[in-house]
Amino acid sequence: MDDFPKSASTTSIRPASKLVAIGLLSIVVLSIVHQVLLTRAAPDVPYMDSLRLLAQLQDWRIGLLSTLEFWGQGSAHRGFVNQAFLLANVDFFGLDIMLANRLTAVVILAVSLVLVLAWGRDVRTQDVAPSRMAKIVLALTTVAVAGLCFSWAGVELLTLDLGLPLWTKNLCFLLFFVGHAAILSGHLSSIRALQVVLAAAAPFLVLLVGMGWNYAFVGAVLALQLLAFLPRWRQEGRWLGLLPTIAVLVSFAIYIGSGQMIHAEADSARISFSTETMVLPFYALGSAFGGHEALLHGGRSRELLLGLGALLVLSGGGASLSWLRRAAPGSRLPLYLILYGGLTAVSVSIARGGDGPGAVVASRYYMDFVFLLIGVLWLAAREVATLAPSARRLPGSAVLVLLCLVASGHALTYFREWQAGPFRELIFKAMGEAMVRGVPDEASARLLQSPLDHARQGVNVMRDHRLSLFAGLPADYCRLDDVRYGAGWNGEEAQGRWTRDASELFLPKCECDFAAEVYLPGVMSAREVRVIGSDGLERRARVEPGRSSRLVLGPSVDGGRVRLLVSPTTIPSRESPGSLDARVLGIMVSDISLSCDGSPK
């Protein structure tokens, strides 16, 4: 029942050579395929949470955000791993997004390598009677263990720079699982040293790395520690495993308590404890069979994911019961993977359940759900391999069907991603153009998958510090904050500024069209407005009283000087008896924005 039986070496991992060779070859091939797909998609811009973190990083540097607030994020995702990787990228590489995405593949390679070595060693310690069925099942499972983490079913975190710290989080969790399993086995020469290392690593993992995934991580560790004490599945190192487990629990208590201290809030609108929430984990786990867009292409019902998730749970339950009936021999690492993946599916379903099944099958969660799939395949294949040859046909065929479903789903995903590569490249180019133009509108923010204010703040940081795609552009390029008011303006008011009969604006360099939101009170007469743009073109507009209008100012060239000529104007002191307001009032300008309908020239 041990991860490191006495008959095996306790100082090095020496897995079955043929299976490891198959696994290593799979890793090499899929690493190359991954880099080709990455080059084809060209994800070279930050988006989504990266923009918010950039703004927070700048606030933290200048003291507007405390270290505790920066760590806390005002949410359940408290930690420093994302911030640390972003800080390193900004300081050492000028926010090289493509480099971060390529390094993500290196971390995935490390995760796959650990899994392949652990799988090979586990098979080596099993009493396997040779047969063709066993060889096929073990070989195909090896390919799955080696390759599933590379799958582009998790495309979102393969094209987002935050994929690097999040996959690093998974690597750290996996290494802890491997080490803890080794301690519980009791058959490791350096067990005391490993005990101290894991206990010391626990606060680092829980407080800095784990973030919202801590719940699943802690649950998996605690469950395996408890299993080691149960009489039928008792392990020799059960008492030795307590120190790392207690360190994890204490760290988790601090993590939970800190949430109260910094008033961290969850999105209550998305949290769901309804009966439907009980079904959502099956949808989530079904997405481990491949990218949900690929699996549901052609109008397939979303219930396909529900069925695949149920099949995976039934397969895992059957394999686990069979293994537990045999007193749980061999490595317990696959059970860690199953528990972690399953608990993540449950927590995501609770946290995002209010948005329905579509929210829990997002590709960003694949990196965690796939651990459960790998654990199920590992346990099922091992159970088949340990059966007598005469008893292998039916369970072996069932495992082969499961492997074929997995292979089909991910092959379809790769095919779809290869087709989507050029389109993704266009999307990332459009994202870059939206950033260069200062995130002009809500449509641009939606493209960047970020709230408008976060997107603009992040882009301003990039522009100010010449980061990423702003490295070769002027600091004020398309920066709305750098719009200057020249001659002919009245003083600033809460709603904006009044022009006079002739007013000047100076716009930052930008090849997009600037626009002004203007308003005229209902008691005033209509205005005729001439806009003489910096491009030399004259644009005319009529502003009606009692409603807002939009004036196109044109792009900014040759200094960006724009003149607004308004007729007629109003002088309140002349038209309202008793008024002392002698200002000349043209139109009220409330906001300057950008409209970018085409590509920059």
Side-chain angles (χ1 to χ4, degrees), residues 132 172 221 266 331 394 420-421 424 430 472 485 499 538:
R132 185 179 180 184
C172 292
V221 172
S331 174
L394 184 58
R424 291 197 186 279
Y485 294 86
T499 69
E538 181 176 321

Side-chain angles (χ1 to χ4, degrees), residues 78-299:
R78 300 183 289 282
F80 264 132
V81 64
N82 288 335
Q83 298 93 313
F85 275 84
L86 184 64
L87 176 63
N89 198 346
V90 167
D91 284 355
F92 296 108
F93 304 104
L95 194 59
D96 189 331
I97 301 300
M98 198 63 174
L99 174 64
N101 289 330
R102 293 200 185 280
L103 289 177
T104 300
V106 176
V107 177
I108 294 174
L109 185 151
V111 171
S112 299
L113 183 61
V114 171
L115 288 170
V116 166
L117 293 177
W119 157 252
R121 181 179 178 84
D122 188 32
V123 172
R124 176 177 175 266
T125 62
Q126 301 298 306
D127 184 15
V128 179
S131 74
R132 185 179 180 184
M133 174 69 79
K135 290 179 180 178
I136 293 174
V137 168
L138 292 176
L140 292 178
T141 301
T142 301
V143 174
V145 170
L148 280 171
C149 289
F150 282 101
S151 175
W152 275 59
V155 59
E156 197 167 31
L157 292 184
L158 303 180
T159 59
L160 177 69
D161 61 308
L162 294 185
L164 176 58
L166 292 177
W167 268 105
T168 301
K169 174 262 299 178
N170 273 19
L171 176 61
C172 292
F173 281 177
L174 177 61
L175 291 174
F176 189 96
F177 291 155
V178 171
H180 195 235
I183 290 174
L184 291 176
S185 73
H187 297 141
L188 192 67
S189 59
S190 55
I191 197 166
R192 295 291 183 183
L194 183 58
Q195 197 182 18
V196 173
V197 168
L198 292 190
F204 169 80
L205 288 178
V206 174
L207 298 176
L208 302 182
V209 176
M211 297 182 292
W213 291 267
N214 277 326
Y215 300 91
F217 170 69
V218 173
V221 172
L222 183 60
L224 266 293
Q225 179 67 57
L226 293 175
L227 182 66
F229 275 100
L230 297 179
R232 182 172 173 77
W233 304 287
R234 185 170 292 162
Q235 289 184 289
E236 292 185 26
R238 58 192 179 278
W239 292 105
L240 297 173
L242 276 178
L243 179 61
T245 301
I246 291 173
V248 165
L249 293 175
V250 170
S251 301
F252 188 58
I254 295 172
Y255 178 87
I256 296 297
S258 67
Q260 302 297 322
M261 182 171 63
I262 63 173
H263 307 292
E265 296 181 358
D267 189 347
S268 57
R270 292 181 172 181
I271 293 178
S272 174
F273 292 98
S274 65
T275 54
E276 293 180 359
T277 306
M278 300 176 63
V279 180
L280 290 178
F282 295 99
Y283 285 99
L285 296 176
S287 66
F289 281 81
H292 70 277
E293 292 179 355
L295 293 176
L296 303 182
H297 179 67

Side-chain angles (χ1 to χ4, degrees), residues 504-522:
E504 289 182 337
L505 275 174
F506 292 92
L507 307 175
K509 181 175 176 56
C510 188
E511 292 170 343
C512 298
D513 280 339
F514 286 83
E517 294 294 325
V518 300
Y519 176 74
L520 199 61

